[in-house]
Amino acid sequence: MSELQVQPLNAAELPLEGRHLIEASAGTGKTFNITRLYLRLLLEKDLPVEQILVMTFTRAATAELKGRLGREIQRVHDHWDQLDDEFFARLRETIPAHKARILLQRALLCLDDAAIY
């Protein structure tokens, strides 16, 4: 049996395959990182929102996460070329702006069907 390895989360480098458990105290950036992982799945893997499962512990957390995802997807869609941090610079290296905007628009249109529970 293998031991559980606890590592700091880097949303830009976490493999997008398999299952990942993000567990941390309140205010440590879980929602921030989940949002970035979600964006990577939308953009790098070209997954529709209906194929991405996100689970959290409470209804309030679910509502908060869904709202934050919607706002972030909209922000990234509207400001793709102006987002100036390393995470977005890395995405822009491999994903053309027109493709990113199409994928993000698709996500916004289908966000009500997102599997966030």
Side-chain angles (χ1 to χ4, degrees):
M1 182 181 252
S2 65
E3 277 188 44
L4 178 66
Q5 294 183 351
V6 178
Q7 306 171 348
L9 179 61
N10 181 340
E13 295 180 5
L14 187 72
L16 295 178
E17 291 82 28
R19 293 179 216 158
H20 301 284
L21 172 66
I22 299 173
E23 184 177 22
S25 301
T28 57
K30 291 181 302 294
T31 302
F32 175 83
N33 282 297
I34 290 169
T35 301
R36 287 187 167 209
L37 289 169
Y38 201 90
L39 285 167
R40 285 187 58 210
L41 289 167
L42 292 172
L43 297 169
E44 291 178 26
K45 295 293 185 179
D46 197 3
L47 289 176
V49 296
E50 300 89 349
Q51 291 185 9
I52 304 170
L53 174 62
V54 181
M55 295 186 69
T56 187
F57 289 103
T58 66
R59 289 184 179 147
T62 300
E64 162 67 19
L65 185 55
K66 203 169 205 178
R68 184 138 3 140
L69 279 168
R71 289 187 300 276
E72 185 66 2
I73 292 168
Q74 185 70 60
R75 183 181 81 88
V76 173
H77 175 273
D78 294 347
H79 304 287
W80 178 257
D81 296 319
Q82 292 87 38
L83 299 168
D84 67 346
D85 74 21
E86 189 176 318
F87 177 81
F88 291 106
R90 184 174 169 172
L91 285 175
R92 281 193 302 270
E93 287 176 5
T94 58
I95 302 161
H98 69 279
K99 180 179 180 184
R101 287 194 177 95
I102 289 168
L103 295 172
L104 294 166
Q105 184 65 38
R106 177 181 74 181
L108 288 167
L109 291 171
C110 298
L111 199 56
D112 286 342
D113 297 323
I116 303 169
Y117 305 108

